[in-house]
Amino acid sequence: VNFGILGSGIVGRTLGGKLAELGHQVMIGTRDVSETLARTQPEGYGGPPFGVWQQQHPRVKLGTFADAAAHGEIVVNATAGMGSLEALEMAGRAHLAGKILMDIANPLDSSRGMPPTLSVANADSLGEQIQRAFPETRVVKTLNTVTASLMINPSLLSGEHSVFVSGDDAEAKAMVTQILKDWFGWPSVIDLGDITSARGTEMVMALWLRLFRALQTPLFNYRIVRRAE
Ligand SMILES: NC(=O)c1ccc[n+]([C@@H]2O[C@H](COP(=O)([O-])OP(=O)(O)OC[C@H]3O[C@@H](n4cnc5c(N)ncnc54)[C@H](OP(=O)(O)O)[C@@H]3O)[C@@H](O)[C@H]2O)c1
């Protein structure tokens, strides 16, 4: 499958690297290719500058957001949430029409300090904003509740723990669920319903950020415990 991954940060790299390793054709998208390749500073989470990372992952291509979206049969939104709508506009409506968009972004606003707040919440969500702005795109909100390394390697934690899918298109959600289970190894994928349920997984960030601070590690997840029927 051809994957277009919008986002050159740790999430885009983690998913892009894994999908390429599985034999898929991956292009990562960024705002300005030459600027991104010219970077010499480590990325936000201490990873190498993009050019160094790409030398270690030569099968992953780099293009503009528009190049990556055009390349992808499935597109991933791994851009900073406050810039996601802008990034998707740059990717181009026509390049996204009819395609599944796995939306992993959280609408985190750090402008008032740490921990960040959500720029949209309660009666709306970034997932819904994206679905409204791109009605022809099949948005599936997923993976935004776990740290990047867990997304593709849930067995870093023992026992059953869950990720979620939200979206209006049942077929798109089924495809994404298959990717999560069969390719990334998720034992439990819970379908929360339509795209409005992205409010729940985005607002969970308020808890996630405090757990991160309390536990001093991002390597944790939620286990949903149910009464046996
Ligand atoms: N880090 C995690 O473990 C984690 C876990 C769950 C969810 N998430 C979510 O996943 C997304 C990606 O996270 P990340 O940590 O990999 O990287 P990030 O630093 O949040 O985002 C980097 C990407 O966003 C693009 N970007 C930033 N501002 C932009 C703007 N104003 N307009 C257009 N594009 C813009 C950057 O473009 P350039 O390539 O041009 O620099 C880059 O590709 C975020 O929404 C984050 O909340 C992250």
Side-chain angles (χ1 to χ4, degrees):
V1 180
N2 289 352
F3 278 89
I5 304 210
L6 312 178
S8 62
I10 181 76
V11 173
R13 295 177 192 196
T14 302
L15 293 187
K18 175 68 179 181
L19 290 164
E21 189 187 300
L22 291 170
H24 303 286
Q25 308 302 316
V26 176
M27 187 184 287
I28 285 181
T30 188
R31 281 170 288 192
D32 179 335
V33 172
S34 45
E35 193 272 325
T36 299
L37 288 175
R39 288 176 188 168
T40 54
Q41 297 297 317
E43 65 84 48
Y45 290 84
F50 193 88
V52 174
W53 182 86
Q54 203 187 18
Q55 278 166 19
Q56 296 157 3
H57 299 82
R59 293 193 50 227
V60 178
K61 298 196 179 78
L62 183 71
T64 61
F65 286 139
D67 295 333
H71 166 83
E73 295 165 279
I74 297 178
V75 181
V76 176
N77 175 31
T79 59
M82 299 277 287
S84 287
L85 286 165
E86 204 181 313
L88 289 162
E89 289 294 345
M90 290 170 80
R93 195 159 295 278
H95 294 148
L96 296 169
K99 294 180 183 174
I100 294 174
L101 178 72
M102 291 173 64
D103 172 30
I104 301 178
N106 281 309
L108 298 180
D109 178 357
S110 305
S111 65
R112 281 171 291 178
M114 294 309 230
T117 56
L118 295 172
S119 64
V120 52
N122 289 332
D124 199 3
S125 60
L126 178 61
E128 288 165 86
Q129 290 180 333
I130 293 173
Q131 184 62 86
R132 280 200 302 276
F134 298 88
E136 293 169 274
T137 301
R138 304 151 82 195
V139 180
V140 179
K141 186 98 209 178
T142 192
L143 290 177
N144 61 308
T145 52
V146 291
T147 198
S149 57
L150 277 179
M151 292 177 187
I152 58 147
N153 195 1
S155 65
L156 286 173
L157 303 178
S158 59
E160 188 175 286
H161 52 107
S162 299
V163 277
F164 308 96
V165 288
S166 302
D168 294 341
D169 185 308
E171 221 179 82
K173 268 193 299 195
M175 178 74 202
V176 170
T177 300
Q178 197 185 337
I179 291 172
L180 296 174
K181 288 190 168 180
D182 298 351
W183 300 0
F184 297 167
W186 279 95
S188 166
V189 179
I190 299 178
D191 183 347
L192 293 176
D194 68 22
I195 193 65
T196 64
S197 63
R199 295 171 196 176
T201 57
E202 291 179 13
M203 286 194 283
V204 130
M205 282 315 290
L207 174 62
W208 192 97
L209 290 159
R210 296 301 178 148
L211 283 166
F212 178 48
R213 186 183 272 184
L215 304 176
Q216 299 279 303
T217 172
L219 286 172
F220 60 83
N221 193 17
Y222 312 105
R223 175 174 295 146
I224 307 303
V225 183
R226 269 173 284 206
R227 184 176 166 185
E229 288 303 323

